Amino acid sequence: MSATLIDGKKLSSLVREDIKRDALAYEQKYGRKIGLAVILAGENPASKIYVRNKIVACEETGIRSFEYYLPETVTTDQLIELVETVNADENIDGLLVQLPLPKGVDEKAVLKAVSPAKDVDGFHAVNAGNLLLGNPCLAACTPSGIMELIKSTGVQIARKNAVVVGRSNIVGKPVAVMLLSENATVTVCHSKTTDLKKHTLEADILVVAVGIKEFIKGDMIKKGAVVIDVGMNRSDGKLYGDVEFDSAKERAAFITPVPGGVGPMTITMLLKNTVKAANLAK
Ligand code: NDP
């Protein structure tokens, strides 16, 4: 049996319709568009593409974008000064600093300077902490998108075994917290986990965010599982997930493709967070 595809593009365009409506409602109520600032420092080609995609997505949903391009030679202090200017700008509701920052810049210090109220990436310790405590917050975008993808399958999360492979601050840890909040029994695996397969075979819901091309094979997947492949690995000019799609789809009930799964939802959740930040500030 072949798994049903979880179509991130389709879900994304549905969610973007809601965002468009909410952004227009905000504009009509407060007399200005919701604003998202993007800071790009340096010449990383992938970052340039990501930023371009985010700006296009803003335009399509009625969010005004503010773009700041800085040279590779920018210093930590200069970046923090710009972040503080944006923090104070009343026309800007959300701020994202595109990572990675140029070598020599203190990334942690720059991210710490972002106002938690405008931290639409959800990377600030205040937002990460509030997520953990179950308080209202701006949650990290990729994990939020993953939760929407899982929910779109109609599969109940509560009481299920959810296994997250990867424990990064931007994907693995926050998605584990979100699954726990939805009453799944959550296991987090990482590079020091012994017998990974034993854990993944128990997973009714399997989220993989490792960064190794086709790392999870079909025989590591429980029959009927929901499989979310976060991986984006470029090889021979193509994009590959962290899951070996062809063998996995024969075991899973639902699976995200790469590309076209988690990726489109990440930008959509960024826009959703921007609308949320604007409304929370009122
Ligand atoms: P990180 O490199 O920050 O984290 C990778 C995690 O995988 C670590 O926790 C690491 O464990 C774990 N890991 C590495 N090797 C193994 C192994 N052999 N067995 C088990 N676990 C292992 O990556 P990210 O979380 O930032 O990203 C993961 C992937 O998701 C990447 O391909 C990235 O490009 C993609 N991504 C996609 C996004 C999207 O929008 N689609 C957004 C963000 C990321 P340990 O902690 O022990 O080192």
Side-chain angles (χ1 to χ4, degrees):
M1 201 191 73
S2 200
T4 301
L5 276 191
I6 310 174
D7 187 340
K9 272 194 196 162
K10 195 166 152 196
L11 182 60
S12 190
S13 66
L14 287 175
V15 179
R16 283 188 198 190
E17 285 307 311
D18 291 344
I19 294 169
K20 215 168 164 177
R21 195 197 54 223
D22 294 347
L24 183 63
Y26 183 96
E27 190 179 345
Q28 285 168 344
K29 193 166 175 192
Y30 299 109
R32 71 158 175 89
K33 279 187 190 290
I34 291 174
L36 172 66
V38 184
I39 297 179
L40 174 60
E43 298 296 327
N44 184 314
S47 293
K48 284 185 177 173
I49 295 172
Y50 295 145
V51 164
R52 184 71 220 133
N53 289 343
K54 286 167 190 173
I55 289 162
V56 169
C58 280
E59 281 162 10
E60 286 172 359
T61 45
I63 293 173
R64 184 177 169 198
S65 62
F66 295 78
E67 300 154 45
Y68 300 90
Y69 297 98
L70 300 168
E72 193 80 32
T73 51
V74 71
T75 64
T76 303
D77 286 348
Q78 286 167 335
L79 266 167
I80 290 179
E81 202 182 316
L82 175 59
V83 165
E84 282 168 355
T85 305
V86 172
N87 283 344
D89 190 327
E90 289 180 356
N91 288 313
I92 298 176
D93 305 284
L95 163 60
L96 92 87
V97 181
Q98 184 65 46
L99 301 179
L101 290 172
K103 277 202 186 91
V105 172
D106 183 347
E107 202 164 279
K108 274 193 184 162
V110 174
L111 293 183
K112 197 175 164 196
V114 175
S115 161
K118 296 192 179 185
D119 168 41
V120 285
D121 261 334
F123 292 165
H124 196 285
V126 167
N127 282 314
N130 279 327
L131 178 69
L132 192 64
L133 297 177
N135 295 333
C137 64
L138 296 171
C141 300
T142 301
S144 301
I146 292 169
M147 295 306 290
E148 296 284 331
L149 289 162
I150 297 170
K151 287 177 186 173
S152 77
T153 65
V155 169
Q156 189 191 308
I157 299 174
R159 301 175 199 284
K160 296 289 167 55
N161 286 333
V163 175
V164 180
V165 189
R167 57 174 167 180
S168 69
N169 290 334
I170 62 167
V171 188
K173 281 182 202 163
V175 83
V177 171
M178 289 176 188
L179 286 161
L180 190 59
S181 303
E182 296 282 345
N183 298 315
T185 299
V186 182
T187 303
V188 182
C189 300
H190 45 79
S191 68
K192 311 291 184 291
T193 298
T194 48
D195 204 351
L196 178 65
K197 188 173 174 181
K198 176 177 134 278
H199 294 289
T200 59
L201 278 173
E202 293 281 314
D204 303 304
I205 298 167
L206 179 64
V207 178
V208 188
V210 168
I212 302 173
K213 177 186 164 188
E214 298 180 335
F215 177 67
I216 299 288
K217 314 290 180 198
D219 67 357
M220 298 170 78
I221 292 170
K222 182 176 176 180
K223 277 194 180 148
V226 176
V227 177
I228 307 292
D229 186 352
V230 188
M232 288 201 309
N233 309 291
R234 274 177 211 287
S235 168
D236 336 313
K238 275 177 70 184
L239 201 58
Y240 293 86
D242 287 347
V243 176
E244 190 182 69
F245 185 80
D246 286 342
S247 58
K249 78 177 190 329
E250 299 307 318
R251 303 270 290 200
F254 296 91
I255 188 166
T256 54
V258 178
V262 175
M265 284 304 285
T266 295
I267 298 186
T268 297
M269 300 321 279
L270 175 79
L271 303 173
K272 199 169 173 180
N273 265 353
T274 307
V275 174
K276 189 176 179 182
N279 284 304
L280 281 175
K282 289 294 170 189

